[in-house]
Amino acid sequence: MAEYQAKSINSLYFEVTNNDKLIGKLIYKNWFKFSAEIEILNSKYQIEPKGFWGTTVELRDGGNVLLKFTMNWNGDIVVHTYFNNIEKDYVFKYRGIFKDSFALTDEHGTELLIMKPNFKWNSLNYEYQITTTDAFENFSQKGTLLINSLHCANYYMSMMMSAM
């Protein structure tokens, strides 16, 4: 089990840390599109919406799609990964008003991480407290999945705000 913090320097730039050690960055090009860049160690990945409405979002390493996600009819975000040519599915979902958190689960419904949003009124930005399970910590691509989960949370918040 590990604890991570995702802090927004401004509304377009997030840093994810564990015990004050930088894990990676999520950098948006602008808030009107969901295009972004993920930096983990010395690697950079591109996040781009696809399709006419941009309802599918892909994370790419050059020309290779590492994962993609879409929001389904009930508000859950279905994440399909293709790490090392192995396909896996995950679900990223909002867990209600009273729990006020997000959860990433595997195909069996086992929770892998919990994200608790915290809105900072002084900067008008969100920060997240992220708790992962031991199973998640053993993933070889945990950094990529962790920062993509941050993008999913921001995507969800943006979609819900635009629906209001």
Side-chain angles (χ1 to χ4, degrees):
M1 192 152 123
E3 297 283 331
Y4 297 87
Q5 294 75 37
K7 294 188 179 182
S8 176
I9 308 306
N10 59 45
S11 60
L12 300 175
Y13 181 89
F14 288 81
E15 288 185 346
V16 177
T17 59
N18 174 263
N19 294 323
D20 295 323
K21 179 183 173 208
L22 182 64
I23 303 301
K25 301 174 188 175
L26 174 62
I27 305 160
Y28 290 95
K29 296 174 183 170
N30 63 53
W31 261 118
F32 303 109
K33 295 183 178 180
F34 294 107
S35 300
E37 182 176 82
I38 290 178
E39 292 181 18
I40 302 170
L41 300 173
N42 295 324
S43 299
K44 290 185 180 185
Y45 307 101
Q46 299 302 313
I47 298 175
E48 294 291 333
K50 294 295 176 189
F52 181 73
W53 298 106
T55 55
T56 298
V57 179
E58 292 181 343
L59 182 135
R60 294 180 165 270
D61 181 11
N64 298 328
V65 175
L66 298 179
L67 66 79
K68 61 183 170 182
F69 66 83
T70 55
M71 186 176 280
N72 66 14
W73 62 271
N74 66 356
D76 293 345
I77 296 174
V78 179
V79 180
H80 304 283
T81 64
Y82 308 99
F83 300 130
N84 303 318
N85 294 320
I86 299 170
E87 291 188 34
K88 289 199 173 194
D89 291 334
Y90 302 92
V91 176
F92 186 84
K93 58 180 140 186
Y94 182 65
R95 297 193 332 166
I97 307 272
F98 298 112
K99 290 187 179 182
D100 196 27
S101 63
F102 296 96
L104 180 70
T105 61
D106 65 13
E107 63 272 7
H108 306 294
T110 305
E111 286 185 353
L112 300 171
L113 68 79
I114 304 294
M115 299 180 76
K116 293 185 182 265
N118 183 15
F119 188 73
K120 298 292 186 181
W121 284 101
N122 58 347
S123 62
L124 299 177
N125 292 316
Y126 275 99
E127 294 183 354
Y128 299 90
Q129 182 68 32
I130 307 164
T131 304
T132 63
T133 64
D134 291 335
F136 183 85
E137 287 300 308
N138 290 323
F139 287 173
S140 63
Q141 295 287 335
K142 72 178 178 182
T144 307
L145 202 51
L146 179 70
I147 296 179
N148 186 72
S149 294
L150 172 61
H151 183 66
C152 286
N154 290 334
Y155 179 84
Y156 183 90
M157 298 287 220
S158 178
M159 295 302 263
M160 293 304 112
M161 293 306 254
S162 67
M164 293 182 155

